[in-house]
């Protein structure tokens, strides 16, 4: 059984997705928090940024790059996470955030993601300023020290998912749009 605080980031490893911001934030964590946590990066890991990050994290045992996974693997690993982190510099609507909320896993997202517009910071997730690795680090530490609050945020994130992101809501909105176009 894994007792470490598990944080997950999923996406092609590239500048736009901001995994380098996450790596800097992990390096800024208090050593005791870093030692009791693990940060798993899932995604295509052959890019130049991925190769560079592999060199930077060689001495940071809390971070592992897992490479690509199929949808089933992604869903399996999301279920094991305490937190999903979306450190993107730009990401209109990361589907992985909605997938995490579907499993009651709360997210920390940058304010340059579309998901940030739906979250209430500190209630059903957390929002940090784009590119601000120190602020991200502080939010991770807060979550680490307040795990019961993180679990509650996960339950509220699930409710947000049901209200905004579920297939039922998508179908209803699509039907409304189609009916409006017929008029």
């Amino acid at each position: 059984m894994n007792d470490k605080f598990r944080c997950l980031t999923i996406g092609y490893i590239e500048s736009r997705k901001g995994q380098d911001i996450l790596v800097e934030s992990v390096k800024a964590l208090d050593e005791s928090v870093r030692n009791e946590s693990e940060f798993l990066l899932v995604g295509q890991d052959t890019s130049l940024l991925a190769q560079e990050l592999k060199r930077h994290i060689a001495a940071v045992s809390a971070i592992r790059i897992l490479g690509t996974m199929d949808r089933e693997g992604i869903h399996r690993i999301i279920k094991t996470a305490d937190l999903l982190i979306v450190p993107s510099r730009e990401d209109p609507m990361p589907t992985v955030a909605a997938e995490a909320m579907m499993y009651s896993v709360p997210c920390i997202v940058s304010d340059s993601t579309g998901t940030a517009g739906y979250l209430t910071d500190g209630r059903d997730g957390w929002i940090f300023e784009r590119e601000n690795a120190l602020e991200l680090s502080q939010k991770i530490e807060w979550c680490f020290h307040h795990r019961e609050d993180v679990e509650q945020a996960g339950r509220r994130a699930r409710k947000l998912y049901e209200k905004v992101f579920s297939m039922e809501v998508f179908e209803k909105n699509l039907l409304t749009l189609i009916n409006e176009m017929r008029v």
Side-chain angles (χ1 to χ4, degrees):
M1 187 68 179
N2 186 5
D3 291 333
K4 291 196 174 205
F5 188 66
R6 179 174 275 186
C7 300
L8 189 59
T9 298
I10 301 173
Y12 189 92
I13 299 177
E14 62 179 335
S15 180
R16 184 176 74 84
K17 294 289 190 176
Q19 291 96 340
D20 55 319
I21 297 165
L22 175 62
V23 168
E24 288 309 308
S25 72
V26 172
K27 288 180 177 181
L29 290 172
D30 180 88
E31 186 178 355
S32 64
V33 172
R34 196 171 47 248
N35 289 339
E36 305 238 358
S37 302
E38 65 179 354
F39 298 86
L40 305 177
L41 281 65
V42 176
Q44 171 54 278
D45 63 348
T46 58
S47 67
L48 290 176
L49 179 61
Q51 299 311 309
E52 185 179 320
L53 288 181
K54 286 177 183 178
R55 287 190 296 277
H56 283 309
I57 67 171
V60 184
S61 63
I63 305 173
R64 288 188 295 144
I65 297 176
L66 302 181
T68 57
M69 288 186 179
D70 62 17
R71 297 307 308 161
E72 184 179 309
I74 287 172
H75 284 256
R76 226 180 4 259
I77 199 164
I78 287 174
K79 291 178 191 179
T80 71
D82 294 296
L83 203 56
L84 179 86
I85 301 172
V86 184
S88 298
R89 290 180 168 87
E90 156 196 8
D91 207 335
M93 192 57 69
T95 56
V96 70
E99 290 173 312
M101 290 187 275
M102 180 175 70
Y103 291 113
S104 301
V105 175
C107 304
I108 298 179
V109 302
S110 77
D111 61 5
S112 66
T113 65
T115 308
Y118 294 97
L119 295 177
T120 301
D121 189 46
R123 176 162 172 70
D124 46 23
W126 294 268
I127 303 165
F128 74 99
E129 181 185 13
R130 169 189 165 172
E131 302 266 354
N132 192 333
L134 181 58
E135 183 183 5
L136 175 55
S137 181
Q138 291 165 345
K139 300 243 179 194
I140 293 168
E141 280 199 21
W142 188 91
C143 290
F144 175 87
H145 291 297
H146 298 91
R147 294 185 197 196
E148 190 171 300
D149 293 320
V150 170
E151 286 181 31
Q152 290 173 7
R155 288 190 286 277
R156 289 189 289 268
R158 171 62 194 196
K159 288 180 182 172
L160 177 63
Y161 166 80
E162 291 168 358
K163 180 180 173 186
V164 177
F165 299 109
S166 70
M167 189 55 76
E168 293 80 15
V169 172
F170 175 78
E171 289 172 357
K172 179 183 167 196
N173 291 341
L174 183 60
L175 286 174
T176 300
L177 183 64
I178 289 170
N179 288 330
E180 288 174 357
M181 290 172 62
R182 289 182 182 162
V183 177

